[in-house]
Amino acid sequence: AQSVTQLGSHVSVSEGALVLLRCNYSSSVPPYLFWYVQYPNQGLQLLLKYTTGATLVKGINGFEAEFKKSETSFHLTKPSAHMSDAAEYFCAVSDTGGFKTIFGAGTRLFVKA
Amino acid sequence: DAGVTQSPTHLIKTRGQHVTLRCSPISGHKSVSWYQQVLGQGPQFIFQYYEKEERGRGNFPDRFSARQFPNYSSELNVNALLLGDSALYLCASSLTGTQNTEAFFGQGTRLTVV
């Protein structure tokens, strides 16, 4: 069975500081991994995804994530936080069939001025 | 271009009632997935449909059912509502439903059961 663990339900950073949101996954098959962002009262927007190939994945809005198989991790980073980055972030995993995506519980990012 | 549209945006139902939620996918998308997001948690997979066939089902009771129409729109039905069914219900559409194609989410339907 697949699962996702996001470490830290809340993360607070200062504007301009590094953003690091942690995600660990469990999968018995090569996984597809995703990060989504959700703004209040809105649906989810895909930030980036890892399928195969390069382990460092670049996404929208300056975010990137690195797939580390040995650590079963897929942490999300951004070098410099902006106030507009304040939102809920979800890590997700699916199998190669893609029929079912498992989401983590989410991490709320707060950005202080 | 219109994104994924869901209706209604909000509704309140009483325990034991039935509810139907609707989703219109992006034009050209043939796959629709439904998720339940309880407050403070991540979305939980309910169903995926592709070309009007159920392709996947999550761990939800039989009170939950869905269907996809020839125009690829979809309905999620929940019978005998419980207080615990209160959640944001999200619909996502994609070209084929596999992870080679991006899923686009609607803004959701907020269901409150009282």
Side-chain angles (χ1 to χ4, degrees):
Chain A
Q2 296 175 307
S3 66
V4 174
T5 301
Q6 291 185 240
L7 301 176
S9 59
H10 296 83
V11 169
S12 182
V13 301
S14 298
E15 193 172 21
L18 171 72
V19 175
L20 171 61
L21 305 182
R22 300 179 187 273
C23 172
N24 287 90
Y25 71 91
S26 167
S27 178
S28 58
V29 297
Y32 283 12
L33 295 161
F34 309 83
W35 276 100
Y36 286 88
V37 61
Q38 186 177 34
Y39 296 99
N41 300 315
Q42 293 190 24
L44 282 73
Q45 180 183 13
L46 181 67
L47 279 177
L48 49 82
K49 68 177 179 182
Y50 168 80
T51 54
T52 59
T55 57
L56 182 63
V57 182
K58 294 187 182 299
I60 62 172
N61 302 337
F63 285 93
E64 62 182 35
E66 185 171 10
F67 170 61
K68 292 188 176 180
K69 185 178 178 180
S70 61
E71 299 178 7
T72 61
S73 69
F74 191 58
H75 300 332
L76 181 71
T77 61
K78 181 174 181 178
S80 177
H82 191 272
M83 297 296 288
S84 62
D85 294 327
E88 186 96 25
Y89 291 81
F90 294 94
C91 181
V93 62
S94 74
D95 58 26
T96 52
F99 302 151
K100 181 177 180 178
T101 301
I102 307 299
F103 285 83
T107 297
R108 182 164 294 279
L109 176 66
F110 296 93
V111 182
K112 300 174 292 186
Chain B
D1 287 342
V4 178
T5 57
Q6 294 186 242
S7 63
T9 55
H10 298 81
L11 76 164
I12 300 173
K13 290 287 189 177
T14 303
R15 277 177 298 174
Q17 284 188 315
H18 162 91
V19 69
T20 297
L21 310 181
R22 295 177 175 82
C23 172
S24 293
I26 291 172
S27 177
H29 286 192
K30 298 181 178 181
S31 176
V32 169
S33 297
W34 287 95
Y35 292 83
Q36 180 196 64
Q37 186 178 17
V38 173
L39 195 62
Q41 297 182 21
Q44 299 283 320
F45 173 76
I46 310 176
F47 289 108
Q48 188 192 63
Y49 277 77
Y50 176 68
E51 288 280 17
K52 302 179 289 294
E53 297 288 329
E54 181 183 303
R55 191 189 258 180
R57 172 186 285 256
N59 188 24
F60 279 80
D62 292 344
R63 298 185 296 108
F64 288 76
S65 64
R67 55 180 175 169
Q68 187 177 32
F69 298 100
N71 66 353
Y72 303 111
S73 67
S74 177
E75 284 182 353
L76 175 69
N77 295 283
V78 187
N79 292 323
L81 285 167
L82 304 174
L83 295 180
D85 295 330
S86 296
L88 180 68
Y89 288 84
L90 295 166
C91 172
S93 79
S94 64
L95 281 169
T96 64
T98 65
Q99 296 305 346
N100 290 324
T101 60
E102 181 178 345
F104 293 83
F105 283 80
Q107 293 196 341
T109 294
R110 173 74 61 186
L111 172 64
T112 302
V113 182
V114 297

